[in-house]
Amino acid sequence: MTQLRPLPTPWNVYNLRGSPYFQETLEQARGAAHPLELFVGRQRELAALQGVIRGASSSRQAVAGASGVGKTTLVQSVKAAVLADGYLATDALVPFLPDDTPERLFGRVLGALYDTILANRPQAAGNAAMQAAQQLVRADRLYGGGANVSILGVGAGASRSVSAVSPKDLLIDGPRVMRDLLVLVRGSDARGVLLHLNNLENLSEAQSGEAAEVLRSLRDTMLLHDGLHYIVVGTTDAVVSVVNTYPQIRSVFSTPLFLEPMPVHDVHRLLAARYDHERLDPARPIVPPVEPSAVEELYTLFRGDLRGLLKALDDGTALLIGLEGVPSSGHGGRRAAPLTLEALRPALQQRYATMMVHDLDERRAEQLATWGRRDWASEQTQKSLAALWKVKQSAVSLALAALQQQGYVVALPRVGAQPIRYVLSGVSRLVFG
């Protein structure tokens, strides 16, 4: 059979197969498009998280930081590291969801524990503890913790010898089943199981408070089993709210790891690794699509938001491939020069300004523009924005909620009892800066 040659892409002019500026989380899976080997930096943080797991029969840790700073990728790397240490882990995560109840969260965690054991030790599927867990997990996932769909005329409830499981039953039988699963793990060649709880940064302040209550109610039944390790991930305020609000939870969690923005020299190392991974022709040099100085300027505008930086580099380069830079003749023909900030900035400003018009209604767009034109680099409070926009503070809260949801404003971590401070996101700073 004739092997088809890959179709050319515009990135080939840089001697790259495709965009090195992808924002997807790196994966450990064999043959992954974005392998975890591209992880750069964070060695001190990785060692700290790994060390706590190695040094305890069970552990509970939290990783906090701004959106896009690299929290999830760090935890992916921790999971790969402890997998090599003899623990069980997968690339999956357990999300916190709005309006969660203890039963719903427990059901997802029990399901993740079952899946992790099955993925790493499929030969254990016939074990009595795994069979019992399978029944609970199936009932929880398929029948919503007790719903009997036969009343709708589309089934007979929990079939295949699975009795309908009520939320109360799940919390009565589930902890015993979870304990039996971990007895199975500790009796095998594994040292324990690591689970990743995520999604806190997508919860509102009120929802984070509710998540803290849910976690408190599950402390003894879910968090404290020997052999079970947790890492909880979210923004700084969300993690502080969930982990530090109640003494019962604070006492069983390690001090949260607050992740600072990646140093710029590590950003350059990260991009270099991605360029090499996407190299098209090993015999030809790679042309970095963007000049290092432009990367640094954009990274400053995005205040350490690595995901936002990568998105901007991807957007800007995709717009300008073949249109900017000095063409030259190489071994493969036409080859572009790296893009400068002078070329990227107007292209990105136009793109993101157009995006704002589509995303925001006229009132919100004008409020954002008033702030950006006055001082795009300033930090604001609700009180100062009320004066700037000449509206009541209740209206400011609504406006900020909308602008944050669309990604044009960022709330900084709360400092003690001081009012929350807000800044323009990297996209907004690019438009108005």
Side-chain angles (χ1 to χ4, degrees):
M1 182 176 178
T2 304
Q3 187 173 5
L4 297 178
R5 188 179 68 176
L7 291 172
T9 76
W11 295 93
N12 295 168
V13 300
Y14 300 114
N15 196 25
L16 300 172
R17 293 190 301 263
S19 173
Y21 304 129
F22 54 85
Q23 299 101 58
E24 292 82 4
T25 300
L26 303 181
E27 301 174 353
Q28 177 69 3
R30 179 176 299 176
H34 311 311
L36 202 54
E37 286 76 11
L38 297 179
F39 179 72
V40 168
R42 305 295 192 194
Q43 294 306 305
R44 179 181 61 82
E45 294 90 345
L46 191 155
L49 294 167
Q50 187 180 5
V52 170
I53 295 168
R54 285 173 170 172
S57 60
S58 68
S59 66
R60 293 141 300 275
Q61 301 184 81
V63 177
S67 296
V69 79
K71 303 182 296 296
T72 300
T73 299
L74 171 62
V75 176
Q76 290 288 84
S77 299
V78 173
K79 288 190 285 187
V82 301
L83 193 65
D85 284 343
Y87 294 85
L88 308 184
T90 71
D91 65 354
L93 54 87
V94 180
F96 282 92
L97 300 177
D99 303 320
D100 250 341
T101 63
E103 296 82 10
R104 291 172 184 166
L105 180 60
F106 183 88
R108 289 198 300 278
V109 170
L110 179 63
L113 176 60
Y114 172 82
D115 289 344
T116 301
I117 297 172
L118 187 64
N120 287 271
R121 299 292 186 270
Q123 66 273 19
N127 182 275
M130 289 290 284
Q131 290 289 305
Q134 183 189 72
Q135 301 300 306
L136 281 181
V137 172
R138 178 188 290 131
D140 180 64
R141 288 179 180 172
L142 299 186
Y143 306 105
N148 189 315
V149 297
S150 63
I151 62 172
L152 301 178
V154 293
S159 59
R160 297 178 66 181
S161 301
V162 181
S163 300
V165 178
S166 71
K168 182 179 179 181
D169 293 334
L170 188 63
L171 288 183
I172 290 174
D173 296 333
R176 172 186 57 80
V177 171
M178 182 175 282
R179 183 176 63 251
D180 291 345
L181 287 177
L182 290 162
V183 169
L184 167 65
V185 169
R186 297 198 308 276
S188 71
D189 60 342
R191 299 174 65 182
V193 178
L194 174 59
L195 298 181
H196 173 188
L197 276 60
N198 208 42
N199 205 47
L200 286 180
E201 62 189 71
N202 294 324
L203 301 183
S204 68
E205 188 174 352
Q207 290 165 346
S208 294
E210 293 167 1
E213 293 185 16
V214 167
L215 213 56
R216 179 178 63 164
S217 70
L218 294 173
R219 192 191 88 144
D220 296 335
T221 56
M222 189 182 82
L223 294 181
L224 301 182
H225 294 280
D226 280 348
L228 189 52
H229 303 265
Y230 292 93
I231 298 181
V232 178
V233 178
T235 56
T236 299
D237 283 345
V239 164
V240 169
S241 176
V242 170
V243 172
N244 283 351
T245 295
Y246 296 110
Q248 298 95 325
I249 296 299
R250 187 166 61 246
S251 65
V252 300
F253 265 80
S254 303
T255 301
L257 172 64
F258 296 101
L259 204 60
E260 297 294 330
M262 181 178 285
V264 69
H265 63 83
D266 278 343
V267 175
H268 289 308
R269 290 177 55 218
L270 178 149
L271 293 180
R274 287 170 171 233
Y275 296 155
D276 190 61
H277 175 70
E278 293 292 338
R279 182 192 292 262
L280 178 65
D281 183 353
R284 291 170 47 208
I286 295 168
V287 179
V290 178
E291 284 190 351
S293 60
V295 170
E296 293 182 15
E297 290 285 347
L298 290 174
Y299 191 55
T300 299
L301 279 176
F302 278 86
R303 298 172 60 96
D305 177 358
L306 184 59
R307 186 169 57 228
L309 168 71
L310 292 170
K311 182 68 165 61
L313 293 174
D314 194 40
D315 287 342
T317 309
L319 286 169
L320 297 174
I321 289 178
L323 302 178
E324 295 286 342
V326 180
S328 62
S329 295
H331 298 292
R334 193 172 188 271
R335 184 159 55 95
L339 296 169
T340 65
L341 185 64
E342 290 71 22
L344 279 172
R345 186 192 292 273
L348 288 172
Q349 284 178 324
Q350 180 62 40
R351 179 183 180 88
Y352 292 149
T354 301
M355 191 170 69
M356 284 178 180
V357 172
H358 288 286
D359 288 347
L360 303 174
D361 60 40
E362 186 176 351
R363 186 176 186 183
R364 298 291 178 245
E366 183 55 38
Q367 288 173 325
L368 189 64
T370 300
W371 180 355
R373 294 186 193 116
R374 171 68 66 87
D375 186 356
W376 60 267
S378 65
E379 296 180 2
Q380 302 282 352
T381 63
Q382 290 198 18
K383 183 177 180 180
S384 66
L385 287 172
L388 178 64
W389 292 338
K390 297 179 174 58
V391 296
K392 294 181 179 179
Q393 197 156 326
S394 58
V396 173
S397 298
L398 293 174
L400 285 173
L403 293 172
Q404 285 180 267
Q405 185 177 22
Q406 295 291 347
Y408 296 118
V409 170
V410 176
L412 298 179
R414 188 190 295 271
V415 179
Q418 296 180 12
I420 298 177
R421 296 165 297 139
Y422 300 87
V423 295
L424 294 181
S425 70
V427 167
S428 299
R429 292 158 71 90
L430 254 175
V431 171
F432 300 113

